[in-house]
Amino acid sequence: MPQTDRHTAAPPALEWKSSAAPVAYEYAVAEMEARVAQIRGAGAPELVWLLEHPALYTAGASAQKSDLLDAGAFPVHRSGRGGQYTYHGPGQRVVYVMLDLERRGPDLHRFVRNLEQWLIDSLAEFGVAGERRQGRVGVWVSLGGGEEAKIAALGIRVRRWVTFHGVSLNVAPDLSHYRGIIACGVPEHGVTSLEALGVHADMAAVDAVLKEKFQTLFGD
Protein backbone atom coordinates (compact mmCIF):
# COMPACT_ATOMS: atom_id res chain seq x y z
CA MET A 1 0.00 0.00 0.00
CA PRO A 2 1.57 3.34 -1.06
CA GLN A 3 2.55 5.71 1.73
CA THR A 4 1.64 9.39 1.79
CA ASP A 5 4.14 11.85 3.27
CA ARG A 6 3.42 15.20 4.91
CA HIS A 7 4.16 17.10 1.68
CA THR A 8 1.38 15.41 -0.28
CA ALA A 9 -1.18 14.64 2.43
CA ALA A 10 -4.00 17.08 3.00
CA PRO A 11 -2.86 19.47 5.73
CA PRO A 12 -4.81 19.51 9.00
CA ALA A 13 -7.36 22.29 9.31
CA LEU A 14 -6.01 25.63 10.45
CA GLU A 15 -6.80 26.27 14.12
CA TRP A 16 -8.08 29.53 15.60
CA LYS A 17 -7.46 30.33 19.26
CA SER A 18 -8.67 33.33 21.27
CA SER A 19 -7.52 34.24 24.78
CA ALA A 20 -9.93 36.33 26.83
CA ALA A 21 -7.50 37.30 29.61
CA PRO A 22 -4.23 39.17 28.90
CA VAL A 23 -1.42 36.72 28.09
CA ALA A 24 2.06 37.12 29.55
CA TYR A 25 4.60 37.77 26.81
CA GLU A 26 7.04 35.05 27.87
CA TYR A 27 4.24 32.49 27.94
CA ALA A 28 3.08 33.48 24.46
CA VAL A 29 6.58 33.15 23.04
CA ALA A 30 7.02 29.72 24.63
CA GLU A 31 3.69 28.57 23.22
CA MET A 32 4.60 29.82 19.74
CA GLU A 33 8.00 28.13 19.87
CA ALA A 34 6.36 24.84 20.82
CA ARG A 35 3.70 25.09 18.12
CA VAL A 36 6.23 25.94 15.40
CA ALA A 37 8.20 22.82 16.31
CA GLN A 38 5.02 20.73 16.23
CA ILE A 39 3.94 22.09 12.85
CA ARG A 40 7.28 21.31 11.25
CA GLY A 41 8.09 18.12 13.13
CA ALA A 42 4.73 16.44 13.63
CA GLY A 43 2.41 18.04 11.09
CA ALA A 44 0.34 19.84 13.75
CA PRO A 45 -2.34 22.26 12.50
CA GLU A 46 -1.34 25.81 11.68
CA LEU A 47 -2.53 28.31 14.27
CA VAL A 48 -3.85 31.88 14.37
CA TRP A 49 -3.91 33.13 17.96
CA LEU A 50 -5.90 36.26 18.94
CA LEU A 51 -4.90 37.83 22.24
CA GLU A 52 -3.98 40.90 24.27
CA HIS A 53 -0.87 41.43 26.36
CA PRO A 54 -0.42 43.38 29.58
CA ALA A 55 1.24 46.76 28.90
CA LEU A 56 4.83 46.13 27.73
CA TYR A 57 7.43 47.00 25.14
CA THR A 58 9.15 44.53 22.84
CA ALA A 59 12.47 45.07 21.10
CA GLY A 60 12.83 43.43 17.72
CA ALA A 61 16.05 42.35 16.05
CA SER A 62 16.71 45.87 14.69
CA ALA A 63 15.86 47.82 17.87
CA GLN A 64 18.13 50.77 18.69
CA LYS A 65 18.81 51.67 22.35
CA SER A 66 18.17 55.33 21.59
CA ASP A 67 14.57 54.49 20.63
CA LEU A 68 13.76 53.37 24.18
CA LEU A 69 12.88 56.72 25.75
CA ASP A 70 11.58 55.49 29.11
CA ALA A 71 12.95 52.11 30.14
CA GLY A 72 11.03 52.25 33.41
CA ALA A 73 7.57 52.79 31.97
CA PHE A 74 6.77 49.15 31.27
CA PRO A 75 8.63 45.82 31.11
CA VAL A 76 10.87 45.52 28.06
CA HIS A 77 11.17 42.15 26.34
CA ARG A 78 13.77 41.23 23.77
CA SER A 79 12.05 39.55 20.86
CA GLY A 80 13.28 37.33 18.07
CA ARG A 81 10.91 38.93 15.58
CA GLY A 82 11.99 41.41 12.96
CA GLY A 83 11.54 45.13 13.47
CA GLN A 84 12.30 47.61 16.22
CA TYR A 85 10.53 48.74 19.41
CA THR A 86 6.79 48.38 19.68
CA TYR A 87 4.14 48.51 22.37
CA HIS A 88 1.57 45.89 23.32
CA GLY A 89 -1.20 46.35 25.83
CA PRO A 90 -4.90 46.22 26.63
CA GLY A 91 -7.12 47.46 23.82
CA GLN A 92 -4.71 46.27 21.14
CA ARG A 93 -5.47 43.09 19.22
CA VAL A 94 -2.35 41.02 18.79
CA VAL A 95 -2.56 38.17 16.29
CA TYR A 96 0.17 35.56 16.23
CA VAL A 97 0.24 33.71 12.93
CA MET A 98 1.84 30.29 12.67
CA LEU A 99 1.65 29.16 9.05
CA ASP A 100 3.58 26.56 7.08
CA LEU A 101 5.07 28.39 4.13
CA GLU A 102 6.66 25.20 2.89
CA ARG A 103 3.14 24.13 1.95
CA ARG A 104 1.77 27.56 1.08
CA GLY A 105 4.77 28.74 -0.93
CA PRO A 106 8.15 29.81 0.48
CA ASP A 107 7.85 33.50 -0.40
CA LEU A 108 8.43 35.83 2.56
CA HIS A 109 7.80 38.99 0.57
CA ARG A 110 4.39 37.73 -0.50
CA PHE A 111 3.60 36.64 3.06
CA VAL A 112 4.36 40.10 4.46
CA ARG A 113 2.35 41.77 1.70
CA ASN A 114 -0.57 39.48 2.46
CA LEU A 115 -0.38 40.34 6.17
CA GLU A 116 -0.51 44.02 5.30
CA GLN A 117 -3.39 43.45 2.89
CA TRP A 118 -5.23 41.48 5.56
CA LEU A 119 -5.07 44.47 7.89
CA ILE A 120 -6.00 46.93 5.13
CA ASP A 121 -9.03 44.85 4.14
CA SER A 122 -10.10 44.50 7.77
CA LEU A 123 -9.80 48.23 8.44
CA ALA A 124 -11.91 48.96 5.36
CA GLU A 125 -14.81 47.12 6.99
CA PHE A 126 -14.74 49.80 9.70
CA GLY A 127 -14.56 52.65 7.20
CA VAL A 128 -10.83 53.26 7.72
CA ALA A 129 -8.49 53.56 4.74
CA GLY A 130 -5.33 51.73 5.71
CA GLU A 131 -2.32 52.33 3.48
CA ARG A 132 1.18 51.05 2.86
CA ARG A 133 4.18 53.36 2.91
CA GLN A 134 7.32 52.85 0.86
CA GLY A 135 10.19 51.77 3.08
CA ARG A 136 7.99 51.33 6.17
CA VAL A 137 6.46 48.07 7.34
CA GLY A 138 2.95 48.20 8.76
CA VAL A 139 -0.30 49.96 7.97
CA TRP A 140 -0.80 53.70 8.11
CA VAL A 141 -3.69 56.14 7.92
CA SER A 142 -3.79 59.71 6.64
CA LEU A 143 -5.03 62.19 9.24
CA GLY A 144 -5.34 65.16 6.88
CA GLY A 145 -3.13 68.19 6.52
CA GLY A 146 -0.21 66.04 5.50
CA GLU A 147 -0.20 64.16 8.81
CA GLU A 148 -0.29 60.39 9.12
CA ALA A 149 -0.09 57.79 11.86
CA LYS A 150 0.48 54.08 12.23
CA ILE A 151 -2.50 51.94 13.20
CA ALA A 152 -1.09 48.44 12.78
CA ALA A 153 2.36 46.89 13.14
CA LEU A 154 3.98 43.75 11.73
CA GLY A 155 6.83 41.73 13.14
CA ILE A 156 7.48 38.16 12.05
CA ARG A 157 9.98 35.39 12.44
CA VAL A 158 10.33 32.27 10.29
CA ARG A 159 11.90 28.97 11.31
CA ARG A 160 12.24 26.24 8.71
CA TRP A 161 9.49 28.00 6.73
CA VAL A 162 7.04 28.09 9.63
CA THR A 163 6.05 31.63 10.60
CA PHE A 164 5.42 33.03 14.05
CA HIS A 165 4.88 36.35 15.82
CA GLY A 166 2.57 38.38 13.57
CA VAL A 167 0.59 41.62 13.67
CA SER A 168 -0.95 44.06 16.12
CA LEU A 169 -3.93 46.33 15.47
CA ASN A 170 -4.73 49.31 17.67
CA VAL A 171 -8.40 49.05 18.52
CA ALA A 172 -8.65 51.15 21.69
CA PRO A 173 -5.34 51.11 23.59
CA ASP A 174 -4.03 53.93 25.76
CA LEU A 175 -1.97 55.72 23.12
CA SER A 176 -0.02 57.63 25.77
CA HIS A 177 1.78 54.34 26.48
CA TYR A 178 3.68 54.80 23.22
CA ARG A 179 5.53 57.80 24.67
CA GLY A 180 8.19 55.58 26.17
CA ILE A 181 9.48 54.46 22.76
CA ILE A 182 10.01 55.66 19.23
CA ALA A 183 7.59 53.18 17.76
CA CYS A 184 9.11 51.11 14.97
CA GLY A 185 12.00 53.58 14.73
CA VAL A 186 9.90 56.25 12.99
CA PRO A 187 10.07 59.46 15.08
CA GLU A 188 8.38 61.74 12.59
CA HIS A 189 5.00 60.01 12.72
CA GLY A 190 2.76 59.01 15.57
CA VAL A 191 0.33 56.19 16.23
CA THR A 192 -3.44 56.04 16.19
CA SER A 193 -6.28 53.60 16.81
CA LEU A 194 -9.79 52.85 15.66
CA GLU A 195 -11.09 54.62 18.75
CA ALA A 196 -8.96 57.71 18.11
CA LEU A 197 -10.38 57.81 14.59
CA GLY A 198 -13.92 57.79 15.98
CA VAL A 199 -14.60 54.10 15.34
CA HIS A 200 -15.96 52.37 18.43
CA ALA A 201 -15.72 48.62 17.87
CA ASP A 202 -15.52 45.89 20.47
CA MET A 203 -12.87 43.21 20.21
CA ALA A 204 -15.38 40.53 19.21
CA ALA A 205 -16.42 42.56 16.17
CA VAL A 206 -12.79 43.16 15.23
CA ASP A 207 -12.01 39.46 15.59
CA ALA A 208 -14.92 38.47 13.36
CA VAL A 209 -13.69 40.78 10.60
CA LEU A 210 -10.08 39.65 10.97
CA LYS A 211 -11.11 36.03 10.65
CA GLU A 212 -13.28 36.65 7.60
CA LYS A 213 -10.60 38.63 5.78
CA PHE A 214 -7.88 36.16 6.72
CA GLN A 215 -9.82 33.31 5.16
CA THR A 216 -10.28 35.33 1.98
CA LEU A 217 -6.54 35.93 1.61
CA PHE A 218 -5.00 32.82 3.13
CA GLY A 219 -7.79 30.23 3.07
CA ASP A 220 -8.44 27.74 5.86
Side-chain angles (χ1 to χ4, degrees), residues 130 170 184 209 217:
N170 287 343
C184 302
V209 169
L217 273 171

Side-chain angles (χ1 to χ4, degrees), residues 101 104-112 114 161:
L101 296 189
R104 293 173 174 269
D107 187 332
L108 289 180
H109 178 73
R110 184 179 69 182
F111 176 64
V112 171
N114 281 345
W161 291 111

Side-chain angles (χ1 to χ4, degrees), residues 75-86:
V76 180
H77 299 269
R78 301 299 303 184
S79 171
R81 62 164 174 80
Q84 302 184 49
Y85 280 103
T86 193

Side-chain angles (χ1 to χ4, degrees), residues 139-205:
V139 177
W140 302 75
V141 294
S142 297
L143 303 178
E147 294 186 24
E148 58 186 278
K150 193 170 193 175
I151 194 168
L154 281 73
I156 65 165
R157 189 172 180 183
V158 178
R159 180 175 297 149
R160 295 177 63 197
W161 291 111
V162 180
T163 70
F164 55 123
H165 295 278
V167 305
S168 60
L169 172 63
N170 287 343
V171 179
D174 184 340
L175 295 178
S176 71
H177 290 179
Y178 279 90
R179 293 174 186 163
I181 57 171
I182 296 176
C184 302
V186 184
E188 62 270 28
H189 301 293
V191 292
T192 191
S193 65
L194 287 175
E195 183 179 64
L197 296 172
V199 179
H200 302 288
D202 63 31
M203 209 59 90

Side-chain angles (χ1 to χ4, degrees), residues 13-113:
L14 182 144
E15 180 184 345
W16 287 81
K17 176 180 176 180
S18 181
S19 295
V23 177
Y25 187 75
E26 300 95 330
Y27 175 81
V29 171
E31 288 292 294
M32 284 191 286
E33 294 270 1
R35 188 55 166 258
V36 166
Q38 291 164 2
I39 291 170
R40 176 53 64 234
E46 299 170 310
L47 175 65
V48 180
W49 186 8
L50 303 147
L51 57 90
E52 292 173 86
H53 284 305
L56 57 90
Y57 298 133
T58 66
S62 303
Q64 304 294 317
K65 283 187 176 181
S66 58
D67 288 345
L68 180 59
L69 306 179
D70 185 356
F74 300 110
V76 180
H77 299 269
R78 301 299 303 184
S79 171
R81 62 164 174 80
Q84 302 184 49
Y85 280 103
T86 193
Y87 166 78
H88 295 312
Q92 181 193 73
R93 178 49 90 213
V94 174
V95 192
Y96 290 136
V97 182
M98 287 148 270
L99 298 185
D100 185 354
L101 296 189
E102 189 174 77
R103 289 188 183 277
R104 293 173 174 269
D107 187 332
L108 289 180
H109 178 73
R110 184 179 69 182
F111 176 64
V112 171
R113 294 281 294 183

